[in-house]
Amino acid sequence: MKRIIFARLAWQVVLTLVLLVLAAPAQGAPAPQAAPAPVYAVDVQGPVTAATIGYLRRAVQVAEAADAQALLITLSGGGGVLRDIRPFAGELASARVPIVVYVAPGTASGAPGAFLLSGAHISALAPGTSFGSPYPLAQVDAALTDQTRNLVLDSVAEQLREWNEARGRGAEWVDRAVREGIVLSNEQAAAATPPAVDLVAADTAELLTLLEGRRVRLEDGRTVQLSTLGVQPAPVAPTLLESLWLALADPTVAFALLILGAMAIYLELASPGMGVFLGIGLVLLLASGAGLIVLPLRWWGVALMLLGLLLIGAEIVVHTHGALTVAGLAALVFGALNMVDPVQAPGAGVAPWAIGLVALGMAGAAAGGVALAISSRARPVALGPQSLVGKIAEVRRRLDPRGMVFVEGALWQAISEGDTVEPGDWVRVTAVHNLQLIVRPLDTEDSYGGGSGGRVPSET
């Protein structure tokens, strides 16, 4: 009996060992690994305005909702509005996913780079790039006392320094940037001790390689280790409304829309019709206003630009041989160059090439108009039937003394001053009376030296 019990126990042990071996993974076979979390990416073109911040804020929310391992923000444009950039940099610093800000090749990111690189968990520059502004990064109301002003500047500098030092980056440049303004190239930022940026990468592919294995500590206390090798960033594309808003908020686009709207209204005033040009002009002006409203404007610059447009338009009514146009163009160019406040929005002004292109186009149009006006004044005034005096006409119905003649592509009633004139002969218009032409038969000298019949005479 004991032998039977012992045999059963031995069999159960063997069976258990066999099942464990079969259930275990094959020796040397790696356990399956989960796919790495996605990396989302956005590319910022043009100046950073309220429209840009709205788009970036949505991208952060998308990355957080998808539990992405990182959001890569590439700055491909320069300039921005300080009042919008500074608070958003704080949002990046407290994001629930690692934020990587990268200044793309060939970009001077300006003030947006100084704030966004500081707030990012990982900052990176491409070779040949820079960040910072020649103007102070903090703007203080001139009406404040010196003590209050210093407190505000200190708070901005302290915040930037805190963000950078928490990531192990150098912050010696912060105080000068806040109070005076500073521009750091990628060489200067990398050579600082410690470096003012985390990485220098030639392109996005190299950046993702350098990010592999880096550990990022988030504000909520979590630590995330990045696994970016072979990961293709998923772009967060702007919506249709965001794309429209981003385009309108570009100072150069807003300026172009303003000029096109003014030109459409000029066309309506010059040739009144069904109001089509007026409607187009109003739509363009409203679109321009929607873009300009998000920018810190110098109102005297806007007023000067509008004055220039009015002076150019006045040339249509008051002909001054281009004097008003020249004055208007000067006011327009100077106003456009100073339309956006460079202190509150460094690097976010209207592109000089756009201003020059508009000025050249308007100057060329004005020069053509003046040339046409001068040439038209050199010609004798000819209006209505009176312009037919002196013309040669062909008799179509016998003049006895009344009949019909053909001149300048139309038939006219005519009265002969002399003898009866037969159809096919030629006469000269001497006067116009009650919409009837007074004509005189061509004699031998007036026609072509040999009677009134035959070939068409030449006008003398």
Side-chain angles (χ1 to χ4, degrees):
M1 190 65 171
K2 292 181 178 180
R3 290 181 178 179
I4 296 175
I5 294 174
F6 180 78
R8 287 180 178 177
L9 290 174
W11 172 249
Q12 289 178 355
V13 172
V14 172
L15 182 61
T16 301
L17 292 174
V18 171
L19 292 176
L20 290 174
V21 171
L22 292 176
Q27 185 176 3
Q33 297 181 353
V39 174
Y40 286 94
V42 289
D43 190 2
V44 177
Q45 303 281 346
V48 179
T49 63
T52 314
I53 297 302
Y55 168 44
L56 292 176
R57 184 175 288 119
R58 184 178 67 85
V60 173
Q61 295 170 352
V62 169
E64 291 178 340
D67 198 19
Q69 62 170 320
L71 172 65
L72 172 59
I73 299 176
T74 301
L75 300 179
S76 300
V81 182
L82 294 178
R83 68 189 180 200
D84 300 319
I85 297 169
R86 181 186 170 190
F88 181 68
E91 296 180 31
L92 294 183
S94 60
R96 298 196 304 272
V97 296
I99 304 296
V100 181
V101 173
Y102 174 58
V103 179
T107 301
S109 62
F115 277 103
L116 300 186
L117 289 169
S118 297
H121 298 99
I122 299 177
S123 61
L125 296 175
T129 60
S130 64
F131 68 89
S133 168
Y135 299 99
L137 293 181
Q139 302 304 317
V140 183
D141 192 341
L144 297 177
T145 63
D146 290 342
Q147 182 179 4
T148 305
R149 180 177 180 273
N150 288 329
L151 288 175
V152 173
L153 295 176
D154 288 341
S155 66
V156 177
E158 182 180 354
Q159 182 65 83
L160 289 174
R161 191 182 303 107
E162 178 184 342
W163 287 335
N164 283 284
E165 291 178 350
R167 317 296 182 197
R169 298 189 289 259
E172 289 83 2
W173 58 273
V174 169
D175 286 329
R176 182 181 170 190
V178 170
R179 288 175 166 80
E180 303 174 14
I182 189 174
V183 176
L184 289 178
S185 65
N186 72 286
E187 293 91 350
Q188 293 172 322
T193 306
V197 292
D198 296 304
L199 299 171
V200 175
D203 51 30
T204 303
E206 182 180 354
L207 176 61
L208 292 174
T209 301
L210 296 175
L211 290 175
E212 174 66 22
R214 291 186 70 94
R215 299 175 66 86
V216 176
R217 184 174 178 81
L218 303 178
E219 193 174 76
D220 58 10
R222 293 183 297 117
T223 299
V224 178
Q225 184 171 0
L226 301 181
S227 177
T228 55
L229 280 180
V231 175
Q232 185 67 28
V236 181
T239 63
L240 180 61
L241 184 59
E242 286 173 340
S243 298
L244 178 61
W245 190 235
L246 288 169
L248 293 179
D250 190 309
T252 302
V253 175
F255 170 74
L257 291 176
L258 178 64
I259 298 300
L260 291 175
M263 292 176 61
I265 293 178
Y266 288 164
L267 290 175
E268 181 67 28
L269 295 177
S271 56
M274 300 178 63
V276 176
F277 287 118
L278 178 61
I280 294 175
L282 291 177
V283 170
L284 293 175
L285 291 179
L286 288 175
S288 174
L292 294 176
I293 200 172
V294 303
L295 299 170
L297 301 177
R298 283 175 167 171
W299 292 108
W300 64 266
V302 176
L304 194 60
M305 189 168 58
L306 294 178
L307 174 62
L309 292 173
L310 290 175
L311 290 176
I312 295 172
E315 185 70 38
I316 301 176
V317 181
V318 183
H319 300 290
T320 61
H321 298 290
L324 285 178
T325 300
V326 172
L329 284 175
L332 175 65
V333 170
F334 190 73
L337 289 173
N338 294 275
M339 181 177 65
V340 180
D341 189 345
V343 177
Q344 300 184 53
V350 181
W353 63 263
I355 300 175
L357 189 62
V358 168
L360 288 176
M362 287 190 169
V370 171
L372 288 175
I374 294 176
S375 63
S376 64
R377 291 184 181 183
R379 295 193 300 266
V381 177
L383 299 174
Q386 295 295 333
S387 64
L388 298 178
V389 175
K391 299 291 184 181
I392 294 176
E394 180 185 2
V395 177
R396 292 292 179 88
R397 184 182 299 173
R398 190 167 182 262
L399 297 176
D400 189 21
R402 298 179 181 274
M404 301 287 292
V405 298
F406 184 80
V407 59
E408 295 293 319
L411 285 172
W412 290 81
Q413 293 184 356
I415 302 175
S416 174
E417 290 181 342
D419 298 334
T420 300
V421 185
E422 299 297 331
D425 288 346
W426 300 90
V427 293
R428 186 182 297 277
V429 179
T430 59
V432 179
H433 178 69
N434 291 335
L435 296 181
Q436 291 185 340
L437 304 183
I438 309 301
V439 299
R440 179 179 69 240
L442 293 178
D443 54 19
T444 302
E445 294 179 354
D446 282 339
S447 58
Y448 45 86
S452 59
R455 60 184 175 87
V456 178
S458 59
E459 295 187 23
T460 59

